[in-house]
Amino acid sequence: MSNLKKLFAFGLMFVLMLIISACNGEEAADESDQTKGETEENTAPANGEKVKIEFWHAMSGPNQQAIDDIVADYNASQDKYEVESLFQGSYEESLTKLRSVGGTADAPAIMQVFEVGTKYMIESGYIEPVQTFIDKDGYDISQLEENILNYYSVDDQLYSMPFNSSTPVMLYNKDAFAAAGLDPENPPETFEEVKAAAEKLTNGDMKGFSILLYGWFFEEMLATQGGLYVDADNGRTGEVTEALFNGEEGRRVFEFLKEMNDAGTLGNFGSVWDDIRTAFVSGQVAMYLDSSAGISGVVESAPFEVGAAYIPHSEEADRNGVIIGGASLWMMNGISEEEQAGAWDFMKYLQTAPVQAKWHVTTGYFAINPAAYDEAIVKERWIQYPQFQVTVDQLQDTKPSTATQGALISVFPESREHIVTAIEELYQGGDPQAVLDKAAESTNRAIEIANKTSGN
Amino acid sequence: MKLWKRSVNVRVGLLYLLPSIILFSMFVFYPMAKTIYLSFFLTNQNGLPVYFNGIENYTYIFSSDEFRNSMKATLLFVIYTVPVSVLIALIMAILANEKLKGIGFYRTIFSSTMGISVAASAVVWLFLFHPSVGAFNNILKAINLPAVQWLLDPEWALLSVSLTTIWMNIGFNFLVILGGLQNIDESLYESATIDGAGYFTKLRRITIPLLSPTLFFIITISLINTFQSFGQIDILTKGGPIQSTNLVVYSIYKEAFVNYQFGTASAQAIVLFAVVLIVTILQFKFGERKVHYQ
């Protein structure tokens, strides 16, 4: 009997192992299945002679529609290339997929990667810098927005083509401002002013101010004070060895949040973009930071007048401006030269003023080519949504520096997680310096591992 | 020679087992060995093991607050969900086992959560928990109670996720327990009735003992499943706030597929494996004594 039991126990152990490994295995299998399915779809000939250009992106919802429209226009505009746009999940998910096919013939020709993946992509060995094509083609990039190029240039080489760029912006409820006796046309600019305004705006269900639990907004409030995220000039001049965001500038941001949290004027709506937007639209928060790409949706759904303002900065530091967020397009190197030529042609098409104008008005992302701002549709749109104008002004007012250029580290996604945890701990009564130090320590460990394992 | 003869049974047995041994080796033993191998390395940005780290991955996770917190959250999560979901399913199954008109309808309803994927049900609950427009907070508001930050308050988040998980597990548990109940011989109840036993006596003396193998099975499976919960965490909280719902499997996922640290992720997987194994062995050692096999 006891033998039987033992046997049964062993059997169960096997089942257990099976379940555990199946769980791990399934995920990997799912992923490769999906990519396989998609690539098979792509290689299926649709139009005989045209060269297929595969374009992986991470734009969902209305932005996906906008991409598909632009791609359709491009395909109709010439008969040499056929671009195929494929949605591959969020930025993180699509990057994970790329890791499994990068550098092979199965890789897409063009890949959209978020800004913090820049360093990773440069080091990945999967890509051909777009500078190669710019030089070969004699393409004039001076027509493009300097502040955006600034982010994606490393050692004066442009590695990827900027595509969808956004910056943070503070949106506020003008009606609530008027009701609280504040001037709706004169939004607060500094931490102190925001705090004072939040105090007045907090009323019943409505909180004064909020930010999304997302590392990006911390990075921006750090940069606008001229604070660096990591050493080696934000990783622009050498190898990064430690995080600097727990310095004075970072502490000011955390104290700013903590004081409002303690005063009960700060709302917390989590880490999902739609949740904080819903909260704003339904009158649960009067001011919050959003991406410029979110403006049109919010303005359209808000039953009140929405104002847009520059993101706040500390009174102890001058306003330096904002870092570019969003994503850029990368050229892969495992593909044929013909495909690369087509991909380059498509990239150039994307940068033309009419396309950029259309992109800007449908999504709220910046026009990479400032000439687009002179197009009629943009002017019309700006009259309808003056909020867009603010975001463009804020970007063009930005002082170029290593702080506003943004940090270049390969472990950015992980570091952002640590920042979010730190903010959550802060909201639960943590000490600003202590929680920041902890996040910096965790980031340092990630940097250390990355340095240990890179170059191998 | 003697040994050769004596082992004939073993050899024949092995022959029969061969197909499963081959399959297990491919899909279980090899990945298992690879996981153990990876757990001693640090991986580079492309996920290749490039830096031999000895047992440092293990010492790191054992000394890290984050992993200890994950372990604690996982244990709490198991304690919150397994007993409650089995108990609720048991009560529902006993009710649905009555022979009444239209009982099939209720049986279908009660087991329906089994037919909904983890992702779909988590999304539904996400809307219910929504801080500003969710149903729960609207109900609380209607009866003049303060709104609860279901998924954003670290005090509540694990409970909220547990609630979702209980709801998701009930369907399967209900179905298995109902199956067990239907297997109990009707004549036992008839004799008991003749002997003058009441409803609760029958429940305690006949139903529960004869159901114990089924209950044992369902508890074991629930325990293992709950230790490995992932989908609802990913959709509802992404491990937050302050890591309060960062269950071990989610932590492994994040380490491996967000941070691309397959080494530490593998080490965590091995630790999880050991824990699940120990819990299951303990369960067999102590829990099975109470099981009544016919």
Side-chain angles (χ1 to χ4, degrees):
Chain A
M1 191 60 206
S2 105
N3 268 344
L4 199 72
K5 259 189 212 169
K6 258 185 212 156
L7 201 72
F8 189 38
F10 260 105
L12 201 94
M13 254 164 66
F14 281 132
V15 172
L16 228 124
M17 286 208 262
L18 183 72
I19 292 169
I20 289 180
S21 55
C23 281
N24 299 336
E26 243 166 54
E27 215 153 297
D30 269 1
E31 222 122 88
S32 59
D33 271 359
Q34 242 167 320
T35 28
K36 223 198 279 166
E38 268 146 16
T39 40
E40 265 164 19
E41 222 170 87
N42 305 327
T43 44
N47 206 337
E49 321 229 322
K50 288 189 183 177
V51 178
K52 279 242 160 152
I53 311 295
E54 219 176 282
F55 172 26
W56 283 13
H57 66 82
M59 302 274 94
S60 52
N63 294 351
Q64 181 173 15
Q65 189 56 46
I67 279 203
D68 289 344
D69 288 349
I70 290 176
V71 166
D73 287 350
Y74 173 75
N75 287 339
S77 74
Q78 43 74 46
D79 51 13
K80 265 178 87 179
Y81 308 110
E82 171 93 24
V83 175
E84 205 171 355
S85 60
L86 296 162
F87 173 63
Q88 295 285 5
S90 70
Y91 288 134
E92 285 87 357
E93 286 162 3
S94 56
L95 197 56
T96 302
K97 287 183 188 172
L98 181 75
R99 288 188 214 240
S100 57
V101 296
T104 71
D106 288 334
I110 306 176
M111 170 81 188
Q112 183 193 26
V113 178
F114 60 168
E115 84 282 29
V116 294
T118 303
K119 171 87 165 171
Y120 167 75
M121 291 301 285
I122 292 173
E123 288 176 354
S124 69
Y126 303 155
I127 58 115
E128 186 66 46
V130 292
Q131 188 72 44
T132 318
F133 300 90
I134 292 171
D135 294 344
K136 207 159 50 180
D137 207 20
Y139 183 70
D140 177 23
I141 57 165
S142 67
Q143 54 171 316
L144 306 181
E145 175 81 44
E146 190 195 342
N147 279 315
I148 298 177
L149 290 179
N150 210 1
Y151 187 99
Y152 295 104
S153 298
V154 181
D155 304 330
D156 287 327
Q157 295 268 309
L158 189 63
Y159 276 85
S160 60
M161 195 53 116
F163 176 53
N164 56 317
S165 291
S166 55
T167 54
V169 58
M170 187 169 79
L171 297 184
Y172 61 98
N173 183 332
K174 283 193 178 178
D175 294 7
F177 264 57
L182 294 162
D183 179 4
E185 300 314 317
N186 193 10
E189 291 187 2
T190 65
F191 289 173
E192 282 304 323
E193 288 172 24
V194 169
K195 250 185 286 179
E199 193 81 42
K200 286 187 185 157
L201 288 162
T202 302
N203 179 10
D205 273 351
M206 184 183 276
K207 296 282 186 188
F209 183 79
S210 183
I211 60 166
L212 183 73
L213 292 182
Y214 190 48
W216 186 51
F217 292 106
F218 169 74
E219 291 152 31
E220 297 286 356
M221 285 193 278
L222 184 72
T224 193
Q225 304 177 59
L228 294 179
Y229 199 81
V230 289
D231 63 351
D233 291 326
N234 254 350
R236 299 274 171 177
T237 56
E239 190 179 69
V240 172
T241 55
E242 65 171 338
L244 297 180
F245 59 71
N246 56 339
E248 201 179 334
E249 290 91 355
R251 203 195 65 235
R252 282 184 202 137
V253 176
F254 270 54
E255 275 168 358
F256 163 63
L257 294 174
K258 186 179 173 59
E259 280 163 29
M260 279 190 292
N261 191 47
D262 290 349
T265 55
L266 185 82
N268 177 11
F269 304 96
S271 57
V272 181
W273 292 87
D274 284 339
D275 286 353
I276 196 167
R277 287 173 184 154
T278 312
F280 178 67
V281 168
S282 62
Q284 304 207 351
V285 61
M287 300 180 281
Y288 79 109
L289 302 186
D290 201 335
S291 156
S292 55
I295 292 178
S296 55
V298 169
V299 172
E300 263 162 41
S301 50
F304 47 81
E305 219 183 312
V306 177
Y310 288 16
I311 62 165
H313 62 97
S314 164
E315 28 295 299
E316 286 154 69
D318 285 340
R319 174 160 58 212
N320 282 266
V322 288
I323 312 171
I324 281 292
S328 63
L329 303 183
W330 294 80
M331 175 83 76
M332 295 296 129
N333 63 3
I335 54 171
S336 72
E337 258 178 51
E338 217 181 4
E339 280 179 79
Q340 282 187 338
W344 172 240
D345 193 58
F346 178 61
M347 282 185 184
K348 280 194 294 186
Y349 174 80
L350 287 176
Q351 305 304 337
T352 55
V355 175
Q356 283 296 313
K358 194 177 163 201
W359 177 243
H360 173 64
V361 299
T362 45
T363 63
Y365 282 114
F366 287 110
I368 310 300
N369 185 342
Y373 296 136
D374 297 329
E375 297 273 323
I377 49 168
V378 174
K379 289 194 165 153
E380 258 170 52
R381 187 75 165 180
W382 281 9
I383 293 168
Q384 200 186 345
Y385 297 120
Q387 294 89 350
F388 278 146
Q389 174 88 51
V390 175
T391 67
V392 176
D393 289 348
Q394 180 178 231
L395 178 65
Q396 292 179 341
D397 283 350
T398 294
K399 299 177 194 157
S401 70
T402 46
T404 56
Q405 219 180 350
L408 208 54
I409 51 173
S410 56
V411 295
F412 229 134
E414 183 173 352
S415 181
R416 279 188 170 172
E417 302 253 329
H418 297 312
I419 292 287
V420 168
T421 306
I423 296 176
E424 287 171 336
E425 278 170 343
L426 182 80
Y427 287 178
Q428 294 302 315
D431 172 62
Q433 191 65 52
V435 296
L436 262 177
D437 286 346
K438 206 175 133 198
E441 214 175 281
S442 310
T443 302
N444 286 342
R445 180 177 171 327
I447 292 172
E448 192 193 320
I449 291 181
N451 288 345
K452 256 190 209 172
T453 55
S454 71
N456 278 298
Chain B
M1 199 57 212
K2 234 181 173 179
L3 190 76
W4 180 253
K5 253 190 186 156
R6 254 204 333 226
S7 67
V8 65
N9 277 340
V10 177
R11 280 183 284 116
V12 172
L14 276 179
L15 194 67
Y16 284 125
L17 283 175
L18 198 62
S20 51
I21 287 175
I22 292 172
L23 282 174
F24 273 124
S25 313
M26 268 161 64
F27 296 108
V28 180
F29 304 139
Y30 171 71
M32 187 81 196
K34 184 88 181 179
T35 306
I36 294 173
Y37 168 78
L38 276 175
S39 73
F40 294 110
F41 282 85
L42 288 179
T43 52
N44 69 6
Q45 289 288 314
N46 296 333
L48 300 168
V50 289
Y51 184 90
F52 181 73
N53 211 17
I55 58 161
E56 217 171 286
N57 285 340
Y58 290 95
T59 52
Y60 171 72
I61 61 170
F62 280 120
S63 66
S64 98
D65 290 340
E66 225 170 283
F67 184 71
R68 242 178 290 162
N69 173 60
S70 284
M71 259 352 236
K72 201 181 112 198
T74 311
L75 289 177
L76 279 176
F77 181 67
V78 169
I79 292 168
Y80 291 162
T81 50
V82 176
V84 181
S85 62
V86 171
L87 195 70
I88 294 178
L90 177 65
I91 293 169
M92 280 173 21
I94 289 171
L95 291 178
N97 196 35
E98 298 296 329
K99 290 190 179 53
L100 295 171
K101 212 175 160 202
I103 198 73
F105 174 71
Y106 289 97
R107 288 180 186 165
T108 314
I109 293 286
F110 288 170
S111 56
S112 61
T113 64
M114 205 186 90
I116 308 174
S117 73
V118 174
S121 41
V123 167
V124 170
W125 282 82
L126 192 60
F127 285 118
L128 294 176
F129 285 135
H130 194 286
S132 28
V133 295
F136 289 160
N137 274 354
N138 280 339
I139 293 169
L140 287 179
K141 216 165 140 190
I143 53 174
N144 275 327
L145 285 174
V148 172
Q149 298 272 49
W150 297 100
L151 298 170
L152 299 178
D153 185 338
E155 305 277 319
W156 278 96
L158 192 63
L159 282 172
S160 306
V161 176
S162 305
L163 198 64
T164 310
T165 311
I166 290 170
W167 181 82
M168 291 189 313
N169 288 350
I170 280 177
F172 177 71
N173 293 357
F174 167 80
L175 207 67
V176 173
I177 295 175
L178 185 66
L181 285 173
Q182 307 257 306
N183 265 340
I184 298 175
D185 197 342
E186 203 54 38
S187 61
L188 290 171
Y189 290 109
E190 283 161 15
S191 338
T193 314
I194 292 164
D195 289 345
Y199 178 79
F200 286 100
T201 314
K202 280 190 272 181
L203 191 65
R204 210 160 60 87
R205 297 286 181 198
I206 301 173
T207 313
I208 301 296
L210 289 179
L211 200 58
S212 58
T214 312
L215 286 176
F216 183 68
F217 166 78
I218 203 76
I219 291 171
T220 309
I221 293 292
S222 296
L223 267 177
I224 296 170
N225 273 341
T226 313
F227 266 110
Q228 299 177 347
S229 299
F230 171 78
Q232 61 270 49
I233 304 291
D234 189 39
I235 290 169
L236 290 174
T237 63
K238 300 219 176 289
I242 329 188
Q243 321 267 336
S244 59
T245 58
N246 193 12
L247 306 189
V248 176
V249 174
Y250 192 74
S251 151
I252 294 171
Y253 160 79
K254 257 199 334 206
E255 197 66 14
F257 295 105
V258 177
N259 304 339
Y260 261 69
Q261 295 301 330
F262 290 112
T264 32
S266 299
Q268 291 189 21
I270 298 294
V271 173
L272 174 66
F273 170 72
V275 170
V276 175
L277 188 66
I278 291 167
V279 169
T280 312
I281 289 173
L282 287 179
Q283 217 210 334
F284 268 85
K285 216 165 161 57
F286 298 108
E288 210 191 14
R289 285 187 197 159
K290 299 203 173 66
V291 174
H292 174 92
Y293 289 110
Q294 262 182 312

